[in-house]
Amino acid sequence: MSNDDPTEAAASDAESASAEGKVRGIPRRRLFALGGAAGALGIAGVGGGAAGYAVRGAQEKKQSAVHLRYPFRAEKQQGILTPAQDNMYTVAFDVTTSDRQALIGLLEDWTVAAEQMSAGDLVGGAPDANAELPPKDSGEVWGYPASGLTITFGFGATLFVDEAGKDRFGLTNKMPQVLKDGVPKFANEAIHASESNGDLLVQACANDPQVAVHAIRNLTRIAFGTAKLKWGQIGYGRTSSTSTEQETPRNLFGFKDGTNNIKSEDADGELDKHLWVQSGDDPASDGWLAGGTYFMARKIHMYLEIWDRVSLAEQEDIIGRDKRYGAPQSVAEPATDQEFTPIDFSAKNAEGTPAIDARSHISIVAPEHHKGAKMLRRGYNFTDGNDSLGRLDAGLFFIAYVRDPRTNFYPILKTMAQKDLLTEYLQHQASALFAIPPGIGTGDTMIGQKLFT
Amino acid sequence: MSNDDPTEAAASDAESASAEGKVRGIPRRRLFALGGAAGALGIAGVGGGAAGYAVRGAQEKKQSAVHLRYPFRAEKQQGILTPAQDNMYTVAFDVTTSDRQALIGLLEDWTVAAEQMSAGDLVGGAPDANAELPPKDSGEVWGYPASGLTITFGFGATLFVDEAGKDRFGLTNKMPQVLKDGVPKFANEAIHASESNGDLLVQACANDPQVAVHAIRNLTRIAFGTAKLKWGQIGYGRTSSTSTEQETPRNLFGFKDGTNNIKSEDADGELDKHLWVQSGDDPASDGWLAGGTYFMARKIHMYLEIWDRVSLAEQEDIIGRDKRYGAPQSVAEPATDQEFTPIDFSAKNAEGTPAIDARSHISIVAPEHHKGAKMLRRGYNFTDGNDSLGRLDAGLFFIAYVRDPRTNFYPILKTMAQKDLLTEYLQHQASALFAIPPGIGTGDTMIGQKLFT
């Protein structure tokens, strides 16, 4: 169904290997050698001769992790169902021109550059040493593999209308009702406007942080004079799995996060129901957004110092899961294979009280308690240094992709803000909502082409 | 010589595998399977069945990259000659107690925790589910491999004397002259005191950013009431190789950086000459610092937007190397195997002018032009978001380890600040100097034990 299917990434690499006798610059002979090194690293008693293998092996494997390459043109945009990469740099731009043609030109230039970078190429190809103009690509990943780079684009409410409600680029009649409605206010939030929303969204994800930074830097450079960076967030340690092949990672509270997430392997019907905008959902945007989705981000500061003073038993009661294995508290004896055991909210413990507190995080956000509503979570941990009191400025850059935030996100966050035991340890500091058009077709010249035609 | 030798890391893993039949939690059977997957990923025409391998293979290799584990107790501290890991989180603490015993207690507690974390264990071991006290470890890397974590400790000038020159902990008579002298002022710098120096240094490096953040977070937590974070810097994309086994990475100007670096494979004599403090270097600190080194960091903001407007030929003239391969400009035909060709500063080009500009970066910093002085560079790229004008706040967190900064760093930086063509594109914004004691012996209870006895 989706072109995020890893089969295609593998096929893409295989084709490349077939055509060039190598995979992204590494001679095939060397790649064969890696298999041996991988084995050697794990085998006991390989002796002193393994020293070189240990370093080289580790380097090579890291390199292989970065060899994933996803096709830029596909039915859906990459970076949504794509197996969540290790690193993220997500930014919003504000458009500084009032010229519709200049905006279209930017989106066309971004499309060309994004396709080149996704393929592991330089923007504009190898530079001419004799050119008087500067190189089109800044060069800091010259010769680096594609590293599973995905670049995902979105459109914000302010691209359609300015603060005074004026139509900026003749797009108002196609503005989605979801963007018109905007995100409601929630309890206990302290949203900084300067770090929220924006006209254009770019989410870059990759298995090498330098590759993600390079992508944002070069798109920023292309936008000079047309759009400028409003805010950006760098994330590490993906906090959700988007594929059943991935292990569930931990958030900064030390718990496995995203266990109960939508996965790319879910049936198409489930994805259509919860993730992809369907034809007929919204007459105004039907022509360009059907098949797309909505991006909803929340920058959530986590009070780590306070959380770290809570006992293990209380931490587990707040989350509703065992910390070691991620098993729901309805499981009597948590073990490594019980993370995905279905949650039984009616289970009682020995004292006859509910095994899972009704105000625990997993109970508050459970689809069972929200008319079955699910979301595709794709967030990352962040650490932005420390404040003047020496406390870490850290937390979760929460990202969800949903068919409609009015049914699949706001009601859940509202309940969470009011009742979730976890809320005491969190503060939402930024918020971002963008419409994500479907993927770029073979003949398209720009992302979101149907919005402008 | 050095216990940073990767042989020991490999041996350590091998022993672990031998003892437990697995490497850091992965059954040996699965590790053997990895070798096959590694091969499969690189082979053309593996067909649709390879899809699982592609994702799983990439995951496994990433995991293997994180399986490196370095012994915490060694002749030298880790994180200096250790092959530079992918991620860094370096912080400084200010001690808030005036009690010498409390300071010693902190260093003892840090030593225990650092040894546990370096081994891939939780601080304090697995937590007791019934304990009323909170878990000793925050848990966000529970079950994660050691990821090549190294934690390197240092002591700053202000640990010895306060601003009024008063002896804080009875250490003044052991204060190194290098710390007394401090770092001189240089041209064109704009140093922020709040992001510079500090009482205690902790440099955490790992092949998983979450592992580095976890280390700093837990050491910060242990320090509560005794010391607090002053500043911190997160880095990615190591900008130097410290082993000949590593490929030279690129900095944010797009050039290969650190080609002409000290490497762990260099002869012991070279390392003793340039890197390690020798007995007799400084009578005051001889008893505790001989065999150690000095840590010198400079947070260097790079004016990326300006650099990006410079033509390729001019960029290469400024650096003195070809951008694609990193070959010195004295090489007539740059190619992939000429990065390490010795630089010939007397070479002329066809017009009879010097092939390498005397004000180029490689000429300015060349050991040949500084009485042979070398340093071990170990810096990282950083990107801390963007400013209100939409420009990236990015650059290089330069780190060098040297035997004596007065001979091996200040003269080079002085020349660079005054004459280097590159300086126009840089601004030094923070500076940090720390004395790095040698490694922790088998019977030691704390880092820098000889300073306190």
Side-chain angles (χ1 to χ4, degrees), chain B residues 18 93 105 142 245 267 300 338 362 364 413 427:
Chain B
S18 178
F93 289 86
W142 199 349
E245 297 283 351
I300 306 174
Q338 286 173 321
I362 64 165
I364 293 290
L413 181 54
Q427 187 176 56

Side-chain angles (χ1 to χ4, degrees), chain A residues 7 20 64 156 170 176 188 217 240 284 320 323 375 380 403 406 430 434:
Chain A
T7 315
E20 306 165 32
S64 300
N188 297 313
R217 173 184 180 185
S240 303
K323 193 169 185 177
M375 56 186 97
Y380 287 82
R403 175 179 171 184
R406 298 170 302 186
F434 289 89

Side-chain angles (χ1 to χ4, degrees), chain A residues 213-251:
Chain A
V213 170
H214 170 263
I216 296 300
R217 173 184 180 185
N218 281 275
L219 296 177
T220 303
R221 192 180 169 205
I222 290 168
F224 183 77
T226 312
K228 70 169 191 173
L229 275 179
K230 182 182 186 191
W231 56 261
Q233 183 64 52
I234 289 181
Y236 63 89
R238 62 181 174 83
T239 56
S240 303
S241 298
T242 55
S243 164
T244 54
E245 298 281 352
Q246 297 185 298
E247 272 190 50
T248 308
R250 292 184 187 271
N251 61 27

Side-chain angles (χ1 to χ4, degrees), chain A residues 27-41:
Chain A
R28 201 191 300 174
R29 184 169 47 79
R30 192 155 159 232
L31 271 159
F32 275 103
L34 301 197
L41 188 64

Side-chain angles (χ1 to χ4, degrees), chain A residues 210 217 221 252 308 381, chain B residues 210 217 221 252 308 381:
Chain A
Q210 187 139 326
R217 173 184 180 185
R221 192 180 169 205
L252 294 182
D308 282 347
N381 296 324
Chain B
Q210 186 139 329
R217 174 185 180 184
R221 192 181 168 205
L252 293 182
D308 281 349
N381 296 324

Side-chain angles (χ1 to χ4, degrees), chain A residues 188-333:
Chain A
N188 297 313
E189 67 182 14
I191 302 297
H192 303 296
S194 63
E195 293 178 65
S196 299
N197 296 314
D199 296 344
L200 299 168
L201 173 82
V202 183
Q203 173 200 279
C205 294
N207 290 316
D208 179 339
Q210 187 139 326
V211 170
V213 170
H214 170 263
I216 296 300
R217 173 184 180 185
N218 281 275
L219 296 177
T220 303
R221 192 180 169 205
I222 290 168
F224 183 77
T226 312
K228 70 169 191 173
L229 275 179
K230 182 182 186 191
W231 56 261
Q233 183 64 52
I234 289 181
Y236 63 89
R238 62 181 174 83
T239 56
S240 303
S241 298
T242 55
S243 164
T244 54
E245 298 281 352
Q246 297 185 298
E247 272 190 50
T248 308
R250 292 184 187 271
N251 61 27
L252 294 182
F253 285 157
F255 278 78
K256 294 198 172 201
D257 209 340
T259 295
N260 201 6
N261 201 19
I262 289 181
K263 302 279 164 65
S264 59
E265 292 83 0
D266 289 355
D268 283 5
E270 280 290 288
L271 300 176
D272 285 345
K273 189 173 171 187
H274 298 291
L275 178 59
W276 304 122
V277 172
Q278 300 297 304
S279 189
D281 279 5
D282 176 25
S285 63
D286 222 30
W288 67 275
L289 191 55
T293 182
Y294 288 97
F295 166 99
M296 183 75 239
R298 305 285 289 187
K299 182 172 184 174
I300 306 174
H301 178 81
M302 292 160 78
Y303 293 111
L304 300 183
E305 293 77 10
I306 303 176
W307 178 260
D308 282 347
R309 284 174 213 152
V310 176
S311 74
L312 181 59
E314 192 175 340
Q315 287 184 2
E316 293 182 335
D317 289 346
I318 291 168
I319 300 293
R321 290 186 183 274
D322 137 80
K323 193 169 185 177
R324 175 70 189 91
Y325 303 106
Q329 286 185 311
S330 49
V331 169
E333 298 284 342

